[in-house]
């Protein structure tokens, strides 16, 4: 039986039309998503965005199995240091506490440094307060005091504690919004400081938005220094983080030591505020099954090592481990001799700090939960040349390009960190 050439040509044309139609539908799916970043409200949503390869920002690695992306050159600080005259550093004290975990600490210290600098006041080393009443730690329990004080030398005078003659009860309480502006300090902080002489500062968060703004301010350089140039873990905590990362890399031999960190905490997923917005394509969080399917569809092999910020294993995570057997929580990769202090105690402050730094140093970071943790981990990764941040999405097809899901903080270069680093 002969083959009609016209039928063959017609069949090829028909197949081509279906392929083109599928691409049009797929493009319409991604382009129609809401242009909304986490931080526009309490129930913030992720934003999907098509990333374009340019200037070496997004390059897939050819050296390892899977859709791994390469690091870029570490960025350099582009803020300027303008030292203050030492004589001016004697106009009272600004005290404050670090609360709610490292993603908040970053912003709290930046605001405190900005306020103290503007007032030419002495900044008192903060304590660290947990979620439970009476749960207070010293700054040096988690962070490097010498690094902190040295980084602010000539910018803000730092005292380890208040002088004995000043009572904490006599301090005037002042609240400032995150990313406090000079105008706000002039209107709401400076009058109280001049009247009382010493203040206790508290930062509140009207949103978790960390996008950079077009408007320049005289306090920008000080805010950049406070946010990105002051914090370093104290040696024992740093040792634990490094040992856990080394363990994860050892478990990742088939991917040349590369691993994924996923911010996925069951207690938050179970919260009633963690849900879709009515649109299947705009969500504030993703569960274990959704994360597993997302990672497979963008091309990660089942041998990929995954670190979860969930502290201890929960049965709801089983579906993720079914697809990615090398899925671990802290209890699996933390050295046994360190668990008594850093894991098995009731205090979770150490656990939050460990998660923050592992997510900042992993080869790929996937925020299953929208919020400030995602935003400030993104800032730290951008600064250190690790822009591989994938925002999850429900993918209807069986596969999708990984670059379609690069965080808009990176793809659009609209994170505050891009104002601080060049």
């Amino acid at each position: 039986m002969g083959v009609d050439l016209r039928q063959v040509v017609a069949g090829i044309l028909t197949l081509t039309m279906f392929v083109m139609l599928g691409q049009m539908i797929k493009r319409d799916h991604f382009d129609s998503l809401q242009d909304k970043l986490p931080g526009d409200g309490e129930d913030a949503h992720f934003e999907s965005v098509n990333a374009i390869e340019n200037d070496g920002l997004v390059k897939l690695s050819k050296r390892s199995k899977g859709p791994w992306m390469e690091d870029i050159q570490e960025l350099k600080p582009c803020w300027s240091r303008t030292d203050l005259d030492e004589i001016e550093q004697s106009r009272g004290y600004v005290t404050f506490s670090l609360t709610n975990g490292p993603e908040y600490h970053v912003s709290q210290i930046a605001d405190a440094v900005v306020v103290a600098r503007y007032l030419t006041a002495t900044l008192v080393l903060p304590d660290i307060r947990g979620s439970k009443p009476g749960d207070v730690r010293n700054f040096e329990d988690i962070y490097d005091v010498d690094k902190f004080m040295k980084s602010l030398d000539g910018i803000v005078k730092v005292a380890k504690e208040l002088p004995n003659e000043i009572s904490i009860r006599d301090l005037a309480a002042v609240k400032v919004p995150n990313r406090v502006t000079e105008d706000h300090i002039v209107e709401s902080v400076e009058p109280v400081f001049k009247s009382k002489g010493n203040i206790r500062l508290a930062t509140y968060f009207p949103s978790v938005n960390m996008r950079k703004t077009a408007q320049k301010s005289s306090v920008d350089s000080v805010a950049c220094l406070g946010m990105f140039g002051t914090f370093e873990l104290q040696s024992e905590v740093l040792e634990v983080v490094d040992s856990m990362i080394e363990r994860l890399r050892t478990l990742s031999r088939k991917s040349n030591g590369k691993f994924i960190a996923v911010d996925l905490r069951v207690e938050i997923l179970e919260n009633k505020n963690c849900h879709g917005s009515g649109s299947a394509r705009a969500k504030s969080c993703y569960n274990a099954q959704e994360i597993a399917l997302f990672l497979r569809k963008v091309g990660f092999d089942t041998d990929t090592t995954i670190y979860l910020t969930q502290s201890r294993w929960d049965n709801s995570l089983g579906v993720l481990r079914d697809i990615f057997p090398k899925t671990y929580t802290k209890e699996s990769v933390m050295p046994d001799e360190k668990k008594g202090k850093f894991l098995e105690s009731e205090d979770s402050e150490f656990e939050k700090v460990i998660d923050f730094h592992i997510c900042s140093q992993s080869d790929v970071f996937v925020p299953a939960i929208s919020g400030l943790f995602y935003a400030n981990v993104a800032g730290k990764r951008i600064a250190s040349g690790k822009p591989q941040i994938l925002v999850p999405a429900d993918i209807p097809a069986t596969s999708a390009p990984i670059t379609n899901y690069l965080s808009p903080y990176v793809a659009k270069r609209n994170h505050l960190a891009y104002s601080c680093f060049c």
Side-chain angles (χ1 to χ4, degrees):
M1 180 177 178
V3 177
D4 190 334
L5 183 59
R6 289 173 297 179
Q7 291 181 338
V8 173
V9 173
I12 294 174
L13 290 174
T14 301
L15 178 61
T16 302
M17 289 177 63
F18 276 114
V19 171
M20 292 176 63
L21 179 60
Q23 292 296 327
M24 290 172 64
I25 294 173
K26 180 179 177 182
R27 177 174 298 178
D28 179 70
H29 168 74
F30 292 119
D31 290 349
S32 64
L33 298 186
Q34 297 179 25
D35 185 20
K36 188 174 184 181
L37 275 169
D40 291 337
E42 181 180 355
D43 187 19
H45 303 95
F46 290 117
E47 174 192 35
S48 292
V49 61
N50 287 341
I52 301 174
E53 290 193 40
N54 58 5
D55 299 327
L57 180 63
V58 181
K59 289 185 178 179
L60 298 184
S61 174
K62 298 179 181 179
R63 295 175 294 180
S64 59
K65 188 176 181 181
W68 301 98
M69 291 178 283
E70 295 179 346
D71 290 350
I72 63 174
Q73 185 174 358
E74 185 173 346
L75 303 182
K76 303 297 182 183
C78 56
W79 64 77
S80 60
R81 284 182 63 101
T82 304
D83 291 355
L84 286 179
D85 186 344
E86 188 69 24
I87 298 176
E88 296 182 352
Q89 298 286 337
S90 58
R91 299 185 182 177
Y93 293 85
V94 172
T95 69
F96 68 110
S97 293
L98 300 178
T99 61
N100 299 319
E103 67 270 32
Y104 288 86
H105 298 175
V106 173
S107 299
Q108 289 162 346
I109 192 62
D111 291 327
V113 171
V114 166
V115 170
R117 163 78 178 202
Y118 185 86
L119 299 175
T120 60
T122 297
L123 188 68
V124 179
L125 202 67
D127 56 14
I128 302 173
R129 306 203 171 199
S131 56
K132 299 179 181 178
D135 183 8
V136 182
R137 290 186 178 275
N138 295 322
F139 185 84
E140 57 266 28
D141 290 341
I142 293 179
Y143 298 112
D144 187 326
V145 173
D146 292 336
K147 159 72 176 177
F148 180 79
M149 298 184 73
K150 185 177 180 180
S151 67
L152 294 174
D153 186 36
I155 301 299
V156 174
K157 186 175 181 179
V158 181
K160 290 189 176 181
E161 56 187 17
L162 275 172
N164 293 331
E165 62 269 20
I166 300 178
S167 171
I168 295 178
R169 289 175 294 183
D170 296 332
L171 299 175
V174 179
K175 290 186 177 182
V176 297
N178 177 34
R179 299 171 69 176
V180 63
T181 63
E182 184 175 346
D183 288 343
H184 185 89
I185 297 173
V186 171
E187 294 173 6
S188 304
V189 181
E190 190 172 26
V192 179
F193 182 73
K194 287 182 176 180
S195 172
K196 300 295 184 179
N198 306 290
I199 61 174
R200 179 163 182 80
L201 205 65
T203 297
Y204 66 92
F205 292 80
S207 79
V208 296
N209 171 29
M210 292 300 293
R211 284 173 288 181
K212 67 180 180 180
T213 59
Q215 186 177 6
K216 299 295 182 181
S217 169
S218 60
V219 301
D220 286 349
S221 291
V222 179
C224 286
L225 172 63
M227 184 169 289
F228 296 107
T230 58
F231 277 129
E232 192 170 295
L233 296 178
Q234 58 100 321
S235 57
E236 187 180 8
V237 182
L238 182 61
E239 180 185 335
V240 172
V241 171
D242 288 344
S243 66
M244 292 173 69
I245 291 176
E246 182 180 357
R247 173 64 175 157
L248 289 164
R249 296 204 183 285
T250 300
L251 294 166
S252 309
R253 289 173 180 159
K254 290 188 178 181
S255 55
N256 290 341
K258 295 179 180 292
F259 72 95
I260 299 172
V262 180
D263 179 29
L264 191 158
R265 288 161 280 167
V266 173
E267 68 275 11
I268 294 181
L269 292 177
E270 291 175 346
N271 189 291
K272 64 180 180 180
N273 290 328
C274 190
H275 53 71
S277 66
S279 167
R281 296 170 299 182
K283 297 179 65 174
S284 62
C285 59
Y286 289 82
N287 62 32
Q289 180 178 355
E290 292 168 326
I291 291 296
L293 294 175
F294 169 73
L295 292 175
R296 282 296 289 143
K297 288 181 178 182
V298 296
F300 286 104
D301 191 85
T302 55
D303 283 329
T304 300
T305 298
I306 297 175
Y307 172 81
L308 301 179
T309 54
Q310 172 73 19
S311 294
R312 296 156 187 82
W313 190 257
D314 186 271
N315 290 335
S316 65
L317 304 174
V319 64
L320 179 55
R321 184 172 277 176
D322 288 343
I323 298 177
F324 293 96
K326 293 182 178 180
T327 297
Y328 304 97
T329 58
K330 277 183 283 296
E331 61 183 350
S332 302
V333 294
M334 182 180 290
D336 290 337
E337 66 274 15
K338 298 295 183 180
K339 290 180 180 178
K341 179 175 181 178
F342 295 101
L343 183 61
E344 294 177 358
S345 64
E346 293 183 1
D347 177 35
S348 63
E349 204 65 31
F350 282 124
E351 298 180 20
K352 294 175 184 177
V353 169
I354 288 169
D355 286 334
F356 187 84
H357 285 271
I358 291 180
C359 289
S360 299
Q361 297 180 51
S362 62
D363 298 282
V364 171
F365 171 55
V366 178
I369 305 163
S370 174
L372 198 60
F373 188 94
Y374 157 48
N376 274 332
V377 166
K380 192 170 180 64
R381 292 183 66 94
I382 289 167
S384 61
K386 292 183 174 291
Q388 311 92 324
I389 307 165
L390 302 180
V391 174
D394 294 324
I395 303 175
T398 56
S399 64
I402 190 172
T403 49
N404 280 3
Y405 303 96
L406 194 67
S407 167
Y409 278 137
V410 174
K412 295 184 177 181
R413 297 179 67 88
N414 64 6
H415 195 283
L416 175 63
Y418 289 110
S419 300
C420 297
F421 291 88
C422 307

